[in-house]
Structures are given as structure tokens and as C-alpha cells.
Amino acid sequence: MGARWTVARVLALAPDAGSARAARGLAHPRTWSDLGSTSSLVWGKCQGSARAPYQVTVDLTEPSFRCTCPSRKFPCKHGLALLLMWAAGDGSVAEDTGPADWVAPATPRKEPTKPDPEAQARRLAERESLMSAGLDDFELWLHDLVRQGLATARRQPPGFWDTAAARLVDAQLPGLADRVRTAGADIHARADWAQHLLGELGRWYLAVRAWRRRAELDEAALGDLRTVLGWARRRDEIGDRVTDRWWVVGLSQEEDERLLSQRTWLHGERTGETVVLLDFAAAGQALKVAHVLGSVVDGEIARYPGGSPRRALLTGDEHKITPGSGLPHATDVRTALAQAARWLAGNPWLRRIPLALAGMTVVPGEPPLLVDASGTALTLAPDTDVWQLLALTGGHPAPVFGEWIDERLHPLSVQAGDRLVAL
């Protein structure tokens, strides 16, 4: 058998948080039958709402998913649940068995020890063809939306956006589908909905045009495009490694009844690079790597293809961890926004931009502000606990680290004395 996957690797393939939660609920042998696996294939039948159980197959080499359920999501919750059971390694999914007759021909066949390059190329061509057709359809939808006007778009029911997103999922474009769903909700929740929607439409159209010219893109631009479209990377494609002393400068956790996710922002002492780690765990369980705010991790990371700030993985099982002191790369607001502008110029689909700010004073009000020594201000996000910030800083200037999202700062940590405190 090949190396067994981790839960985090499986959940990273989920098209959205809802699919990850649903997969967790299905990852129990009591609803499954005919479970089995080989070095490159996992299969099983899941009893759903239909009379006949759904037939689920996962090819680990791509990975690619096949399921007879009617879900428009890719991968669906059944494929993710099957992988979660296989990843658990508790014996519920039998190993080194011959594929069931509904998975492959009944004639015994020997599993190839290496992926078939021709089969991989064929699957790649099929996926790209499906994505291209989906983006052609999406471009027509965008033209119609703009032609009818933004005011008309705002009057559309939720089903209008959900239907467009479902077609994108069918075309294996789950990342773009998630953005369409989110925009459908944002236009009813934001005062600046027209400006926000127009910006999103422009970014979506740019993704369509970039896909058609993907052969001309460099590796970083292609990596960013794949991220916005939702085409996940295999672990063996993440090979850009660098060693440094990585300062843990910001943590952001999101939790619901079934899933805990965390973004960890690291800053390289030698390289000056800022990267983000993504970790997942079942609700109620600890994260595999519990990163400590303010600590310094001495070790190697592997960076995903794309522009800065890049997603990364810590490599190896053991890392030297020492306490750090403060926020090492804090700057004034103008310098930080200039860096943000350079990042956005390289990746216009960037949603979260890390900002490390020096000497920031909290100014309560409507809206609340952070102001640097020169008087340059940033607007704080509406859900910011301003009074906690004031209590930690005593009203005095202090370094602050946060995520710049939609022209609002979401503070994640503040320096109190010589240590970072989570917000």
C-alpha cells in the first residue's frame, strides 16, 4: 500500500466547509458496505436516501472521484467520507483486495506499481475540457448579468446564485462556485454591495480569460489561478522548500459543530517571507500541530505554487521551537499597504492580506480605527473587539498583526510588552 493520507489532506479536497462536515458524519462503517482498497484505488457502497446504495470510487493517483449520488459538488460528501475511513487505518476499509465487480472488470488484474502516464494525461485532458466548457458557460452568464445591470442582480433570489454555483461545481470549479455563492449573500449584507459586486465580477471574468491563456502563464500565476478555480494540488506537487526561523505572528481559528480549521501566519527571519499554514481537525479534537503564537519554529517548509503570500506546509515531524519577542517585521501603514498592493498586482484574486503594523493607536468610534504615528488610519472590521484592544494596549501605540479583507483590518494579535497576545 502507498503512504496513507492524513485527515487534513482529505479535508483539504472538500469544496466547502459544509461538505467537510457532512463527510465527517458519514465516515462510519455502519452506513457502508463492500469496502476495499488497493495501492491506488478505494471503493465502497454508501446507503443514502435512494433505495440502492451509492457506488463510490476514489482513484488516489489524481485524485479523482466517482459517485452515483446526484450531488453537484465535487468531490461529494460520500467520496470524502470514504477517504476519511481509509485514512483512519482502523481496518474498516480492507487492504490489498481485488476490486469489486462494479469497480473494475471481474477478471483479476495486477495493480500497476506506478501511475500510468498515458492514463494520467487522458484524465488531465478530460478535466481541462470539462473546466473549459464550464467557464465558457460562466462567461455567458457574466455577460447577461452585466447587461441586465447590478440593480437587477441584487433583486435575484438565492436560487439564482446557487444554480450558477452548482453548474460550476459540475464543471469541477468548486473554488469559483464558492465565490459566486458568497457574493449572492454579500450583496444583501453590505452597504457597499454595488462596488463589491462589480469588483468580484471583474475578478471572475479575469479568471475566465486567464484560463484560456494558461499555457502562457508562469508557475506562480498558474498556481494562483488553480487556487481561485478550486483545483487542488497533490502533495507531491508541493516541492518548493525553504529553511528558515519562522515566527508565528498570527492565528485565526474557525469552528463549527464538526470541524476546526486554523490559519497560521509565519514570517521568515532570514527570507523576510510571510506564508500561511492551513490545519484541520474534527471538532473537539486538538490540531495535529498546535502552533503557539509568538514562538519561533526553526525548520523547513514546502510552499504551494503561487504568488506571495503563499500557502505552505511544515515538513518533517520534529522542529526546534523557541520563544520569540514581539512582531519582527512591523511597519507603518503606508509601507504595509504598498506591500499589499504589490501582492494584489501579482494575484488579483487574493482575499486575505497579512499586515504587520508598528505603533498603532486604537481610536474607538463609528467606524473604529487604528492610526499610526504619521496619522494614517485603517478601518477595523465591524466584529473587532475594540475594548479588548484598548485594554491590552492601555491606549498607547502598539504593534498589531491582522488580515486585510475588503479594505477592513481583522486584527489577530497585538504586542503587549514583549509578547504577542491573540485577539
Side-chain angles (χ1 to χ4, degrees):
M1 292 289 291
R4 196 171 295 276
W5 292 17
T6 63
V7 170
R9 183 178 178 185
V10 175
L11 294 178
L13 299 174
D16 51 49
S19 297
R21 290 193 299 270
R24 279 285 189 187
L26 286 173
H28 300 286
R30 63 178 177 271
T31 58
W32 291 80
S33 61
D34 293 345
L35 289 163
S37 65
T38 63
S39 61
S40 61
L41 204 64
V42 186
W43 62 88
K45 291 183 178 180
C46 182
Q47 185 61 58
S49 56
R51 179 179 300 178
Y54 301 129
Q55 298 176 359
V56 191
T57 309
V58 182
D59 185 338
L60 300 170
T61 59
E62 184 65 22
S64 61
F65 296 78
R66 293 180 178 84
C67 181
T68 57
C69 78
S71 174
R72 291 177 176 271
K73 294 187 177 183
F74 184 87
C76 68
K77 60 185 179 182
H78 306 104
L80 292 170
L82 177 60
L83 276 187
L84 286 173
M85 290 190 297
W86 171 75
D90 57 5
S92 59
V93 180
E95 298 181 1
D96 294 321
T97 61
D101 55 6
W102 53 268
V103 176
T107 304
R109 63 183 179 89
K110 184 179 179 180
E111 281 292 324
T113 57
K114 295 182 180 179
D116 182 352
E118 292 185 2
Q120 285 186 319
R122 184 170 60 253
R123 287 193 297 268
L124 176 62
E126 290 173 352
R127 172 157 191 172
E128 289 185 343
S129 177
L130 182 60
M131 292 171 67
S132 295
L135 288 171
D136 288 344
D137 179 65
F138 184 59
E139 183 181 28
L140 295 176
W141 183 84
L142 287 175
H143 286 168
D144 290 341
L145 190 66
V146 173
R147 188 180 301 112
Q148 294 169 11
L150 299 185
T152 301
R154 197 185 193 205
R155 292 196 296 268
Q156 296 290 351
F160 172 81
W161 305 94
D162 290 342
T163 300
R167 289 200 298 266
L168 289 170
V169 171
D170 287 344
Q172 299 192 17
L173 299 161
L176 200 54
D178 181 61
R179 294 199 174 210
V180 170
R181 289 193 199 94
T182 301
D186 284 346
I187 60 176
H188 298 289
R190 301 174 61 111
D192 61 343
W193 67 270
Q195 177 184 351
H196 175 73
L197 178 58
L198 186 60
E200 281 294 276
L201 293 175
R203 284 184 281 271
W204 300 345
Y205 185 70
L206 181 62
V208 173
R209 303 295 292 181
W211 175 255
R212 291 177 183 155
R213 300 181 59 181
R214 61 189 180 279
E216 305 171 29
L217 301 180
D218 59 30
E219 183 180 7
L222 186 58
D224 294 330
L225 177 61
R226 285 188 58 156
T227 297
V228 73
L229 297 180
W231 190 346
R233 291 279 183 179
R234 298 196 307 269
R235 199 177 188 91
D236 58 8
E237 295 179 301
I238 309 167
D240 185 6
R241 300 170 183 262
V242 61
T243 301
D244 205 337
R245 299 185 73 242
W246 301 98
W247 292 66
V248 182
V249 295
L251 302 173
S252 178
Q253 286 192 357
E254 297 175 2
E255 186 174 9
D256 53 33
E257 66 274 13
R258 291 187 177 177
L259 185 69
L260 170 66
S261 60
Q262 177 173 287
R263 290 186 304 280
T264 304
W265 290 99
L266 305 179
H267 179 76
E269 183 178 282
R270 176 180 57 81
T271 61
E273 183 175 6
T274 300
V275 300
V276 63
L277 311 178
L278 297 183
D279 294 299
F280 301 92
Q285 297 184 7
L287 293 163
K288 183 179 180 181
V289 180
H291 307 291
V292 178
L293 184 66
S295 63
V296 182
V297 181
D298 196 342
E300 182 186 68
I301 64 168
R303 296 172 293 187
Y304 282 71
S308 297
R310 296 166 71 175
R311 182 182 170 186
L313 294 171
L314 277 173
T315 60
D317 297 325
E318 296 184 4
H319 304 89
K320 181 181 178 181
I321 301 177
T322 56
S325 177
L327 197 59
H329 60 308
T331 66
D332 59 64
V333 171
R334 292 185 183 276
T335 302
L337 290 182
Q339 177 64 76
R342 288 191 290 272
W343 283 337
L344 278 171
N347 179 9
W349 304 292
L350 194 59
R351 272 184 165 174
R352 303 173 184 273
I353 302 175
L355 297 185
L357 305 163
M360 304 302 293
T361 302
V362 184
V363 180
E366 291 296 333
L369 304 172
L370 279 182
V371 183
D372 68 8
S374 70
T376 306
L378 292 178
T379 302
L380 288 168
D383 59 349
T384 302
D385 189 340
V386 177
W387 303 111
Q388 182 189 23
L389 261 176
L390 281 169
L392 290 169
T393 62
H396 300 295
V400 175
F401 179 86
E403 296 174 334
W404 184 245
I405 306 171
D406 292 336
E407 300 184 354
R408 299 289 187 271
L409 184 71
H410 296 249
L412 301 182
S413 60
V414 61
Q415 184 175 329
D418 61 351
R419 65 190 183 93
L420 288 179
V421 179
L423 296 170

